[in-house]
Amino acid sequence: MSVAPSAAAPSAWRQFTFFDIVPVKDVHDLANSPDIFRKTPEFSCIISTSLGPLVADIHGSMYLLNNDFETTKSWIAHAGGRVTHMVERNVERITQEESSVHQPLLKVWDLQASEKKSGAPVLLRSVKVQSGTRPHPVSAIAVTSSLAYLAVGLADGTVLLYRHLDQSIFSNSTSLTNVPKPRTVHESPTDPVTGLGFREPTEDNPNVYLFIVTISRVLVYQVSGKGSGGTPTAVDEVGCALGCAAMDWHAKDIVVARDEAIYICGIEGRGACYAYEGHKVSVHTHRNYLVIVSPPFVPSASAASATVRNFVAQNASVDNADITKVVVFDLENKLVAYSGTSDGVRDVFSSHDQVYLLTNDGRLNALEERPTSAKLELLYRKSLYLLALNLAKTQHLDDASIADIHRQYGDHLYSKGDYDGAMQQFVQTIGHVQPSYVIRKFLDAQRIHNLVTYLQELHNLGLANSDHTTLLLNTYTKLKDVARLDSFIKTESRRMSPDGETEELPFDLETAIRVCRQAGFFDHASYLAKKYNRHEDYLQIQIEDAGNYKDALTYLRKLGTEAAESNMARYGRALLENLPTETTDLLIDLCTSLAPRCR
């Protein structure tokens, strides 16, 4: 009899119920689990394939199931033995290891091709797996997506690597034994292999690597590229038990689960480490989740785990029956997405984008993930908006949905009086939330600095209209913030127009000139008018607003005869009254020459 493990998550792990456990029923008998699991309980392994779940029993039989868990194809894969490991690659190819009393066998099947007589899948290759003269059971198997490389780990610490397996399988050879001779890439008689995984090429690194996990350490072997073919390099001196290693959801690093923690190992060494104590019998990856199964134990009301204590409280007559704890982790967001107990779990597998738990008595349960909207609502109720944002990104929500979370977070901070923090969130909603929604909140004089921040970003993104420009300039002038006003109107930043051919200012020029004039900032208004050749505006500001008659007269000389004449008709009287001699000289020049002379 075992005792309940101490599997309580430390305080760093937030716990939520993002999954519901739902019994899976037989389509013809809704009172029971699928028939295949009740009538064939002696399974050796289950995997998910592109055609549906594939099940192998201890008698060497295989069963391919459809989405309703009904058998669509069955055959005897190995008479007198049992299938111990399976993996699907290249869509329809299935690779498996079979153990017999004599020697393990490696078989490759084509699930989409059938034998005419038996209807069984076509067997493409069948070879013995052998290292040395004595047979050893297979402990782990891994294969690349293209079936180019296959690795087999043995209980005696040996790892065999098959290279270019795809070329031999897809060749015209009809020989079942036409498989490249494997290379022994690792040997350690006292350290059994407990896990294998391939890291396939990425944009940053085109090479293939093989992770080798043993009881005591994690090693990496370079399979392809420059420098390949050497000896495996230890990247961590922490190993794990059989079944407690799995490639992560990116197929980039390997996850190693030990009693004290969860370790992530990459090709250059150990990466993240997550403290989570408790015995672990197996780990499984499902999208961005990590599923950990504990070994069977007798539940106790004094258990360290709240999940176990709740189970005991809700099941008064447990009759000392062993139960298994299942925990689903979201490591990227550092939270527990599900924690529950079940009768002894025999196997965990993913299919139809769901996680399934098969119990020892043949019952099948599905861990159904709640909709993202329901998970977000749960986080909103707890005011966990930062976590909601992280969750939305890992769930790949669209920009509009993420902006709505920023809006709700901003509303929350605003209600708490944190106006600076609220504005940081509202800025993230630009382009998705109407600006008026935010502007109305910050029109109060005490929050005008926050309003400036929002209006500036609205202009920077090219989403401001003339009303927004008017409001922003009015806030500058009301605050007498000359530095920001200078920075705004003298900006050199431009954006392309919708036609992609012309450049536009990030604000409405006419509005900016008008507001600066009305506020008495004549220097700023004249700067804009002169810079962007608004001649009439410039002269009007210099003569009517600023009284800079000499500057206006100089400007008139540079405009050319036609423009100077039209503006002299408008401003000649004012110029003659203030600069009679200089204005008379300009009039003479206009009457006696085609172009004004420069002085």
Side-chain angles (χ1 to χ4, degrees):
M1 178 180 296
S2 60
V3 295
S6 174
S11 58
W13 291 101
R14 292 183 179 272
Q15 297 202 37
F16 303 95
T17 305
F18 287 167
F19 288 82
D20 295 309
I21 189 162
V22 179
V24 179
K25 302 299 182 182
D26 190 285
V27 291
H28 304 294
D29 182 5
L30 298 181
N32 292 295
S33 289
D35 186 73
I36 180 69
F37 298 113
R38 288 184 291 113
K39 294 186 177 180
T40 316
E42 298 175 325
F43 295 121
S44 57
C45 57
I46 304 173
I47 66 167
S48 176
T49 75
S50 57
L51 302 180
L54 186 64
V55 179
D57 66 21
I58 63 174
H59 304 295
S61 295
M62 306 275 288
Y63 306 87
L64 183 62
L65 312 180
N66 61 16
N67 291 348
D68 293 322
F69 297 99
E70 294 180 298
T71 301
T72 59
K73 187 178 293 187
S74 64
W75 69 99
I76 297 176
H78 187 59
R82 66 190 183 100
V83 178
T84 59
H85 298 80
M86 297 188 296
V87 62
E88 184 204 32
R89 287 294 184 269
N90 201 37
V91 181
E92 73 271 15
R93 300 298 192 274
I94 198 78
T95 303
Q96 63 183 48
E97 289 288 349
E98 300 176 353
S99 296
S100 68
V101 294
H102 300 295
Q103 193 83 37
L105 295 175
L106 168 68
K107 291 189 176 183
V108 181
W109 306 81
D110 187 341
L111 294 182
Q112 291 188 338
S114 301
E115 298 284 356
K116 292 183 179 180
K117 293 184 179 180
S118 64
V122 174
L123 178 61
L124 301 176
R125 294 291 183 270
S126 178
V127 294
K128 291 182 179 180
V129 178
Q130 186 171 352
S131 173
T133 58
R134 298 181 59 185
H136 295 279
V138 173
S139 57
I141 184 173
V143 65
T144 58
S145 58
S146 64
L147 207 61
Y149 302 101
L150 181 143
V152 178
L154 303 178
D156 69 341
T158 300
V159 177
L160 304 177
L161 177 65
Y162 293 83
R163 293 174 173 270
H164 311 301
L165 188 64
D166 55 336
Q167 296 178 13
S168 66
I169 291 174
F170 301 144
S171 67
N172 294 325
S173 173
T174 58
S175 171
L176 291 179
T177 59
N178 182 33
V179 171
K181 184 178 180 181
R183 174 185 298 179
T184 300
V185 298
H186 176 68
E187 291 181 293
S188 181
T190 60
D191 200 13
V193 176
T194 56
L196 295 172
F198 279 103
R199 183 188 193 273
E200 303 207 36
T202 63
E203 292 183 0
D204 299 330
N205 192 327
N207 301 325
V208 177
Y209 296 86
L210 173 66
F211 287 102
I212 302 171
V213 185
T214 70
I215 291 291
S216 63
R217 55 183 177 160
V218 178
L219 305 100
V220 170
Y221 176 79
Q222 186 174 336
V223 175
S224 68
K226 184 178 180 180
S228 62
T231 58
T233 302
V235 293
D236 199 353
E237 295 301 325
V238 172
C240 68
L242 193 65
C244 289
M247 291 299 293
D248 71 354
W249 38 97
H250 302 298
K252 180 181 178 182
D253 301 324
I254 196 162
V255 181
V256 177
R258 291 176 58 87
D259 288 354
E260 72 278 5
I262 302 163
Y263 302 93
I264 311 296
C265 294
I267 58 175
E268 296 181 353
R270 181 193 294 181
C273 174
Y274 304 93
Y276 189 81
E277 296 183 357
H279 300 313
K280 303 166 181 70
V281 70
S282 64
V283 296
H284 312 265
T285 53
H286 173 73
R287 296 207 315 273
N288 62 308
Y289 296 109
L290 179 70
V291 184
I292 291 186
V293 181
S294 72
F297 61 92
V298 176
S300 168
S302 61
S305 169
T307 302
V308 176
R309 295 196 302 271
N310 290 336
F311 175 83
V312 174
Q314 296 172 10
N315 299 270
S317 57
V318 292
D319 297 328
N320 292 327
D322 284 352
I323 65 169
T324 299
K325 185 177 179 181
V326 178
V327 183
V328 180
F329 294 92
D330 181 344
L331 296 184
E332 289 181 310
N333 293 309
K334 296 181 176 61
L335 60 85
V336 173
Y338 172 82
S339 180
T341 56
S342 173
D343 293 340
V345 175
R346 170 172 293 185
D347 213 328
V348 176
F349 63 96
S350 297
S351 186
H352 324 319
D353 203 31
Q354 289 192 145
V355 179
Y356 291 92
L357 310 177
L358 180 62
T359 64
N360 290 329
D361 58 2
R363 288 184 292 112
L364 186 66
N365 295 311
L367 283 176
E368 291 188 352
E369 188 173 4
R370 293 182 178 180
T372 301
S373 58
K375 291 186 283 188
L376 291 176
E377 284 298 328
L378 177 60
L379 296 178
Y380 296 156
R381 290 197 296 271
K382 297 178 180 291
S383 299
L384 299 173
Y385 293 97
L386 285 176
L387 184 55
L389 286 169
N390 292 334
L391 181 68
K393 291 173 184 177
T394 56
Q395 298 279 312
H396 305 295
L397 295 191
D398 58 28
D399 292 341
S401 299
I402 293 176
D404 188 62
I405 300 174
H406 283 292
R407 178 191 63 79
Q408 295 192 57
Y409 191 14
D411 287 342
H412 171 73
L413 294 175
Y414 186 92
S415 67
K416 299 292 185 181
D418 182 2
Y419 303 119
D420 292 341
M423 182 50 70
Q424 290 178 7
Q425 300 305 316
F426 286 132
V427 164
Q428 304 297 321
T429 70
I430 293 177
H432 300 282
V433 175
Q434 285 294 329
S436 58
Y437 178 88
V438 179
I439 291 171
R440 284 195 299 267
K441 291 177 176 288
F442 292 90
L443 286 175
D444 186 277
Q446 294 180 347
R447 297 188 280 278
I448 196 170
H449 292 281
N450 300 123
L451 181 59
V452 168
T453 299
Y454 182 80
L455 292 171
Q456 284 183 156
E457 188 61 22
L458 205 60
H459 282 82
N460 291 339
L461 296 175
L463 298 175
N465 58 32
S466 59
D467 291 334
H468 300 142
T469 300
T470 300
L471 183 57
L472 177 58
L473 292 174
N474 279 331
T475 59
Y476 285 149
T477 57
K478 184 176 294 186
L479 293 171
K480 300 188 183 304
D481 193 340
V482 178
R484 280 192 174 183
L485 182 59
D486 284 343
S487 176
F488 179 73
I489 68 171
K490 296 181 180 180
T491 178
E492 296 297 328
S493 61
R494 291 170 174 261
R495 57 185 175 87
M496 296 302 296
S497 64
D499 60 17
E501 297 179 357
T502 60
E503 288 187 321
E504 298 177 344
L505 283 168
F507 56 83
D508 183 76
L509 179 61
E510 183 177 349
T511 300
I513 294 174
R514 174 178 52 80
V515 174
C516 286
R517 288 186 65 194
Q518 291 173 348
F521 286 80
F522 303 131
D523 288 344
H524 296 82
S526 61
Y527 169 85
L528 290 173
K530 186 175 183 179
K531 183 175 179 63
Y532 298 106
N533 299 318
R534 300 290 292 260
H535 306 310
E536 291 187 5
D537 286 333
Y538 181 79
L539 290 170
Q540 189 176 25
I541 295 166
Q542 296 297 74
I543 295 172
E544 296 181 3
D545 297 333
N548 293 328
Y549 302 104
K550 188 173 184 178
D551 185 84
L553 203 62
T554 303
Y555 192 82
L556 273 170
R557 284 189 171 278
K558 297 179 181 178
L559 289 182
T561 303
E562 184 176 349
E565 287 179 352
S566 63
N567 281 286
M568 280 298 290
R570 182 176 181 182
Y571 299 113
R573 181 181 296 274
L575 291 170
L576 280 170
E577 290 177 354
N578 291 277
L579 295 172
T581 303
E582 292 87 344
T583 305
T584 301
D585 288 343
L586 177 58
L587 288 171
I588 294 172
D589 289 339
L590 290 173
C591 294
T592 59
S593 63
L594 295 176
R597 68 175 185 269
C598 296
R599 291 186 176 178

